[in-house]
């Protein structure tokens, strides 16, 4: 459906998008995810035709549209601020695109009402935008884009102005609409949870570059760099020293434990630093007050199970979970546990933090992933 081929976009001397290539399949919901200022909205505006790339091309259904104006690309866009006409009714706003296409009054009103019913706001057809809530305005903007039946629907953080509860509800509804209509969508967001809720596939951007593409589970479980690991949720990063580099390297953590890391083929030397990421959901708590390393084997790969005594710093209730902040010889760590687990800890308690070396992710100091 969509091909972005080696697109670079500049604003004066600033390179906002650097050699980005991606494809989106027919009927797919593809999310562009990244921090503010990373270039994701510029990619979207380039696809829509609002920005002209310095180099590269954009194709929709196999047709090069790089030099075409927005209204000749058979795509529609929903903006962050919804961009509704304040002096027009809801129905007139939704029918506006059809009017510009020369559709008759009767047909455009019928199609506009169908689109409003689809997003469950048909009862507000005669209302003015000023009379609507944020969630209702978002539905109107979505209906306006859907009513022209675009090949490609582009959405630029359309839910970011909504409160958390409504935003989460609208994510589910939007995904349901996309599945029913089988509309191809490219969705820009800086919210990891939103991307994981919506996306069939996602592309992570940083500093104008597309750094990894894949389905959400793969990108989360198999990050290509330390940036992706840190951006896609909370984790514990620990700087460890290589104490033996032959075969599987042995790492020494700053809190006194040594363990074999299941990585190989890397040009490591004794004394090098390896940054270890421990996701909180892969950690376990239990009794114990001694540093321990136990050899285990997972699928024929030798690795180690680690147990480290920690002091509880504090527990923080976070809705249905509890974040437990820990200290292991001045190294700060944390773990998330369900409230229902009945964890009863107070500051100063000693617990054992446990994990398997196979469950950690390993990075060079410069951010590259070790495998």
């Amino acid at each position: 459906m969509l091909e972005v081929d080696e697109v670079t976009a500049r604003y004066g001397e600033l390179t906002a998008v650097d050699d980005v290539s991606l494809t989106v399949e027919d009927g797919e919901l593809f999310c562009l995810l990244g921090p503010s200022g990373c270039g994701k909205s510029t990619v979207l505006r380039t696809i829509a035709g609002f920005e002209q790339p310095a180099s590269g091309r954009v194709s929709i259904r196999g047709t090069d549209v790089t030099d075409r104006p927005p209204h000749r690309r058979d795509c529609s866009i929903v903006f962050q601020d919804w961009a509704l006409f304040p002096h027009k009714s809801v129905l007139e706003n939704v029918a506006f695109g059809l009017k510009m296409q020369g559709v008759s009054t009767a047909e455009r009103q019928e199609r506009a009402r169908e689109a409003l019913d689809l997003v469950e706001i048909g009862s507000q057809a005669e209302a003015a935008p000023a009379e609507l809530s944020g969630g209702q305005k978002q539905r109107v903007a979505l209906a306006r884009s859907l009513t022209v039946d675009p090949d490609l629907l582009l959405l630029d953080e359309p839910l970011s102005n909504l409160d958390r509860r409504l935003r989460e509800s609208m994510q589910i509804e939007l995904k349901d609409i996309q599945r029913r209509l089988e509309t191809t969508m490219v969705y820009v967001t800086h919210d990891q949870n939103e991307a994981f809720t919506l996306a069939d596939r996602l592309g992570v951007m940083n500093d104008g570059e597309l750094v990894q593409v894949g389905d959400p589970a793969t990108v989360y479980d198999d990050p290509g760099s330390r940036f992706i690991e840190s951006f896609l949720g909370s984790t514990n990063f620990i700087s460890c020293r290589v104490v033996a580099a032959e075969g599987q390297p042995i790492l020494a953590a700053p809190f006194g434990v040594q363990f074999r890391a299941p990585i190989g083929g890397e040009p490591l030397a004794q004394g090098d630093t390896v940054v270890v990421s421990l996701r909180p959901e892969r950690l376990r708590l239990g009794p114990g007050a001694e540093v321990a390393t136990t050899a285990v084997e997972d699928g024929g790969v030798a690795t180690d199970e680690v147990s480290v005594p920690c002091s509880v710093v504090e527990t923080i209730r976070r809705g249905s979970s509890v974040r437990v902040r820990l200290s292991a010889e001045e190294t700060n760590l944390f773990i998330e546990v369900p409230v229902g687990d009945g964890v009863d800890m107070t500051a100063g308690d000693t617990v054992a933090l446990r994990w398997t070396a196979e469950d950690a992710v390993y990075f060079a100091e410069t951010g590259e992933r070790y495998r």
Side-chain angles (χ1 to χ4, degrees), residues 349-367:
D349 288 350
T350 298
V351 295
L353 186 65
R354 297 172 178 164
W355 73 89
T356 300
E358 185 73 22
D359 290 331
V361 185
Y362 303 87
F363 301 96
E365 282 189 289
T366 51

Side-chain angles (χ1 to χ4, degrees), residues 141-197:
L142 180 59
R144 181 176 60 187
S145 292
L146 290 172
T147 197
V148 297
D149 193 23
D151 271 351
L152 181 64
L153 181 57
L154 310 174
L155 302 103
D156 192 2
E157 305 209 43
L159 308 182
S160 61
N161 290 332
L162 305 181
D163 63 60
R164 178 179 176 181
R165 181 192 62 79
L166 183 56
R167 186 168 65 248
E168 291 176 349
S169 174
M170 287 303 303
Q171 289 167 12
I172 301 299
E173 292 192 32
L174 181 62
K175 182 66 174 177
D176 182 58
I177 290 170
Q178 189 269 337
R179 283 173 174 164
R180 279 187 283 147
L181 297 181
E182 298 182 342
T183 303
T184 308
M185 296 185 183
V186 178
Y187 190 106
V188 162
T189 181
H190 66 274
D191 187 317
Q192 302 94 316
N193 291 330
E194 188 165 83
F196 278 93
T197 299

